[in-house]
Amino acid sequence: MTSLANIFQGIENSALRIRDAVTNEDTDYSAKSNQSGEIQLKLDILSDLIIAEEFSKLPEVKSIASEEKEEEEVLHEDGEFLIAYDPLDGSSLINVNLSVGSIFGIYRGGWSAEKMVASVYVVYGPRTEMVTAYKKQVRHYIYRHGRFKELEQIKLGKRGTLNAPGGTQQNWTKKHKAMVDGLFSDGYRLRYSGGMVPDLHHILLKGGGLFSYPATSDKPLGKLRKLFEVFPFAFVYEMAGGEAIDENGGRLLELPCSDPHETSPCFFGSEYEIGLVKDVYGAN
Ligand code: F6P
Ligand code: MN
């Protein structure tokens, strides 16, 4: 197997263990917070340990950075790849039995977005699915009868029907609210669970739409973390034929990242909806 195939296999192994933990363990909070100030569930910590344990078996993994860890951790000095991950995104939704996920960005030669070589996410819902973006292909797998079975590749249409607006409306800017309202007036349907992984997966599988997490009055730099959430999904959306931009209209994958826990306002969607964002935010 190539080194990256080993990493994908390591992610599959972690995913099955995390799926079991989500099914069987309780959803108590721990006494700790992560770097972004969110109180960690015991399941966040367990998922983080599972992934670190699986990657520590792979000599190709040089170092890991996790949403749940303060600092990067070197695993194998001679390894080729760096992996940033969010072990259990949306974990506060587990006790109401909504879908959650794991997100991985795989880099070679440094943590900057242009060094990303692949990204992967896993959705834990009624079914467990995995999506990999690598070499211009977005592959979709479903866990069925004891193995991940490959389905059709994912491609976004030029224009979709779904609108997933993140953050609290009260804290949106006027222009952002006008844009979201404009989409609804145009027939777009609201699809927002509050879990980034299922919400972005939903748009990808239904052919397109817009997911936005803008700069808000309470979070002027957005909420979603570049390394653990924003870059990996930007990579998937671009490879699926969509676009992923910030509020200035620039590609998310060209943003610098000086701290692993840094955030950015972000917009993911198909060509038409991203064009609208650029019009409203003045980037066109
Ligand atoms: O990890 C952050 C997260 O839980 C994402 O999964 C999700 O997209 C976002 O927060 C939801 O935030 P809000 O409730 O502010 O829309
Ligand atoms: Mn998250």
Side-chain angles (χ1 to χ4, degrees):
M1 276 210 282
T2 66
S3 312
L4 259 178
N6 287 337
I7 290 174
F8 291 160
Q9 184 61 53
I11 291 175
E12 284 188 21
N13 298 346
S14 315
L16 296 182
R17 293 177 62 191
I18 293 172
R19 184 188 62 140
D20 281 351
V22 168
T23 307
N24 297 309
E25 302 300 329
D26 64 39
T27 55
D28 293 355
Y29 282 97
S30 70
K32 298 184 193 155
S33 301
N34 67 14
Q35 273 304 100
S36 310
E38 297 159 340
I39 302 174
Q40 292 168 307
L41 249 54
K42 288 180 186 163
L43 269 170
D44 289 315
I45 298 170
L46 177 59
S47 305
D48 185 38
L49 287 174
I50 289 173
I51 293 171
E53 196 179 292
E54 291 296 334
F55 286 152
S56 65
K57 296 177 194 164
L58 303 176
E60 44 275 90
V61 181
K62 180 179 174 117
S63 132
I64 54 176
S66 163
E67 186 174 299
E68 306 302 341
K69 280 190 184 61
E70 201 174 327
E71 304 278 348
E72 163 183 0
E73 190 183 327
V74 176
L75 295 180
H76 305 101
E77 213 35 87
D78 297 329
E80 190 180 351
F81 298 100
L82 313 174
I83 307 180
Y85 60 92
D86 180 351
L88 198 53
D89 178 70
S91 54
S92 65
L93 300 172
I94 295 174
N95 66 354
V96 291
N97 207 14
L98 285 173
S99 300
V100 293
S102 303
I103 311 169
F104 303 84
I106 304 165
Y107 302 79
R108 193 195 275 120
W111 289 111
S112 61
E114 77 264 18
K115 307 250 187 228
M116 187 179 274
V117 290
S119 83
V120 180
Y121 68 84
V122 179
V123 194
Y124 312 101
R127 315 204 279 190
T128 301
E129 295 181 42
M130 181 173 75
V131 172
T132 63
Y134 176 54
K135 286 198 172 162
K136 305 212 167 16
Q137 294 185 326
V138 182
R139 294 172 181 265
H140 182 196
Y141 302 84
I142 187 161
Y143 189 70
R144 202 179 264 170
H145 302 302
R147 68 181 187 94
F148 278 94
K149 178 183 179 321
E150 189 165 359
L151 305 173
E152 264 187 40
Q153 287 191 22
I154 298 178
K155 288 202 175 60
L156 275 167
K158 297 260 178 254
R159 179 178 181 165
T161 56
L162 306 184
N163 188 14
T168 311
Q169 277 205 39
Q170 212 180 14
N171 302 326
W172 289 350
T173 60
K174 283 205 175 74
K175 67 181 172 190
H176 187 74
K177 181 161 168 41
M179 183 191 75
V180 173
D181 289 348
L183 285 169
F184 287 132
S185 315
D186 221 10
Y188 281 77
R189 285 174 300 150
L190 174 65
R191 290 293 182 267
Y192 193 77
S193 72
M196 184 184 194
V197 177
D199 286 337
L200 282 163
H201 187 59
H202 196 158
I203 291 172
L204 283 167
L205 293 193
K206 301 282 187 196
L210 182 70
F211 175 100
S212 45
Y213 207 108
T216 55
S217 54
D218 58 332
K219 294 188 176 72
L221 296 175
K223 176 183 187 187
L224 298 174
R225 286 142 282 223
K226 289 178 183 173
L227 220 51
F228 309 118
E229 296 163 321
V230 172
F231 290 165
F233 269 108
F235 199 80
V236 172
Y237 265 65
E238 287 195 357
M239 262 184 204
E243 293 183 48
I245 61 168
D246 69 0
E247 79 280 27
N248 301 314
R251 289 174 67 227
L252 291 167
L253 290 175
E254 286 175 14
L255 289 178
C257 183
S258 50
D259 178 276
H261 297 273
E262 210 166 89
T263 61
S264 171
C266 53
F267 302 85
F268 302 87
S270 16
E271 195 182 299
Y272 174 79
E273 292 82 8
I274 293 291
L276 285 180
V277 177
K278 289 181 184 165
D279 287 344
V280 170
Y281 275 81
N284 263 340

